[in-house]
Amino acid sequence: MKESDLQQSRDEEMMQQLRLRANELLLREEWEQSIQTYSHFISLCQTHISNPQIRPDPKLQKSLCLAFSNRAEARLKTRDFDGSLKDCDEALKIENTHFKTLMCKGKILLSLDRYNLAINCFKIANLDHPSNADSETLNGYLEKCKKLEFLSRSGAFDFSTWVLNGFKGRIPELAEYIGAVEIKKSEISGRGLVATKNIDFGSLLLVNKAIATERGILPESKAGDLGENAQMVMWKNFVDKIVESTSNCKKTRCLISMLSDGENEESLEVPDISKFRPESEQDCSFSNKKIDMEVILNILDVNSLVEETFSSKFSGKNGDHHGVGLWVLASFVNHSCNPNAKRFHIGDHVIVHASRDIKEGEEITLGYYDVFSPLKTRKEMAQNWGFDCHCKRCKFEIDISLKHEMGEIEMGYEIGVDVGTTVYKLEESMKRWTVRGKLKGYLRASFWKVYSELFLSEKLMRKWGRRVPAMEVVVESVVEAVGGDERVLRVVIEGMKRSGGGGLVEMEKAMKLGRGVYGKVMKKQAMRSILGL
């Protein structure tokens, strides 16, 4: 036997061993090792095929196609989306209707929320392999993609069944959605989201999937050491996930690079909102290089969000549950102490909706901290966030705080003066100062704690009822000024229950308040259930 023939035989034997070993590692779910072994096989296989002295072997071409397809599966498991897609494309160059590869590519595109492209993959697989044993699985993926594509286009989310089941079972399937908003230069800070049309109370603004999240139960400790250590571990894990995501997906790297790192806010480019749509094809060539770790840390420091587990029943988590994540588009929403939007979290998605009516051209804002707090407390919380709020409400309350009577009211609030006295003094002072409209709502929101204690106490209402505004009047002004809130809703519901459940008008008002808190994502029956009516 010639030396060349002997070498060819040895190569073929080695390729066979590598292929079998790689398949075994894949079955054992040892992803990294299987990727390495498939890579070795693919390299030898390509060298063998490209050798003009060796007769072409169709079986080897099929083996190469399957190796690319299997390596794509393994890379998908490690969330290496770019590498996985590249492998799929290489496999499809060899056999353009390869069922397993089309399934794999469809799953990758689905993971990247690129629903239409995923649908095309599954349709081709279904068309060319109608009697495949995995047709049931394929049809399942195809229907899921169609549903998510419709949700992404329409925003017609409905959580009614989940709510009526007491938030048990599988959470609703969510798609990325962008409503009537665009990115513009912000009068508040840097860039912000702005409404492109008039938006009704409760309307969905956006649903945004996290680049990465980290969650855990943080043990309470008076000394704080245990909790702080757990937080540091959570933060490190979160940073590691972000680094991995930027390494494995060029589009993720591209999107994150658009976020502010806290420097030169005013000079930052204002990206078109279309770049954030799941199906967008954009030039990410400038993002081929890895983002510097220091830059990543600065971006996360400025843009990462803490999950608001306390503010919504949707979270379904205990009070000691904590979570942190990076939602790229949601990061463009600035803070205001008179916000017009609310957010809550389901799974890895953040849902943002209008908490009061929003006018075309108005910037979308959230409360980064509790806006139902007095001015002094809000200023302290803003400093903890690393900024100073200059919204209309804060400017107004700073001017009002200079008045002698306001100082007395604030002092009485701090030392726990009778809530009826505090409310009475504040309302009388606002009359003297000719405070009207939203400005009244600002101050009432700052002292909501005393208003709610008064309205929830039958004894105090018998004493002060005729000397203070009706609960309905206060609620309406507060919601108009700072948007819907669970605590305001709770007072309204308790008032309805005390009066025997209220009539149709009262019920509809409560339902509207509920839509401001939870959004228009459920039918009336589910909303009544969550409100306890």
Side-chain angles (χ1 to χ4, degrees), residues 234-431:
M234 278 183 62
W235 181 256
K236 182 186 180 303
N237 292 341
F238 173 54
V239 172
D240 289 344
K241 288 180 179 179
I242 293 292
V243 171
E244 182 184 28
S245 295
T246 58
S247 300
N248 291 343
C249 184
K250 188 185 292 184
K251 184 174 180 180
T252 297
R253 196 157 57 246
C254 187
L255 292 176
I256 288 179
S257 68
M258 294 181 196
L259 296 178
S260 167
D261 63 358
E263 300 292 332
N264 304 316
E265 289 272 355
E266 300 309 315
S267 64
L268 292 173
E269 177 193 353
V270 179
D272 191 277
I273 195 76
S274 63
K275 292 185 176 181
F276 298 87
R277 298 189 186 281
E279 301 292 345
S280 70
E281 290 285 352
Q282 54 185 296
D283 177 20
C284 293
S285 56
F286 67 90
S287 293
N288 283 332
K289 294 181 180 178
K290 288 185 178 181
I291 305 174
D292 182 79
M293 177 58 81
E294 184 178 350
V295 174
I296 286 179
L297 291 174
N298 289 337
I299 287 173
L300 294 182
D301 189 47
V302 173
N303 298 283
S304 56
L305 293 174
V306 175
E307 287 185 328
E308 291 188 319
T309 56
F310 65 88
S311 68
S312 172
K313 293 178 184 177
F314 281 123
S315 63
K317 303 292 193 307
N318 298 321
D320 54 357
H321 167 90
H322 293 262
V324 63
L326 179 66
W327 292 267
V328 175
L329 188 54
S331 297
F332 285 90
V333 183
N334 282 310
H335 165 84
S336 175
C337 289
N338 57 316
N340 53 25
K342 282 187 76 70
R343 66 180 168 98
F344 58 87
H345 300 264
I346 297 182
D348 287 341
H349 291 77
V350 63
I351 292 92
V352 181
H353 67 270
S355 61
R356 54 184 173 85
D357 291 340
I358 301 173
K359 294 180 180 178
E360 181 180 351
E362 185 179 348
E363 182 169 351
I364 309 302
T365 54
L366 290 165
Y368 285 8
Y369 43 77
D370 186 7
V371 297
F372 279 72
S373 301
L375 176 67
K376 181 181 176 183
T377 305
R378 297 201 313 275
K379 288 295 180 187
E380 290 171 356
M381 289 189 285
Q383 286 180 356
N384 291 336
W385 275 79
F387 67 89
D388 190 16
C389 184
H390 300 286
C391 69
K392 292 178 182 178
R393 178 184 173 191
C394 285
K395 289 177 181 177
F396 162 70
E397 289 191 50
I398 286 170
D399 291 339
I400 286 289
S401 68
L402 300 176
K403 295 182 180 293
H404 176 71
E405 300 101 312
M406 196 68 210
E408 289 183 347
I409 293 167
E410 288 173 343
M411 186 177 294
Y413 175 86
E414 290 176 2
I415 64 175
V417 167
D418 172 71
V419 294
T421 302
T422 301
V423 169
Y424 176 75
K425 283 185 176 180
L426 180 61
E427 291 292 333
E428 289 300 304
S429 296
M430 285 194 287
K431 287 179 186 176

Side-chain angles (χ1 to χ4, degrees), residues 170-185:
R170 292 183 65 182
I171 63 174
E173 287 186 328
L174 298 174
E176 291 229 289
Y177 168 76
I178 300 174
V181 295
E182 61 183 343
I183 303 170
K184 283 191 171 184
K185 285 285 185 182

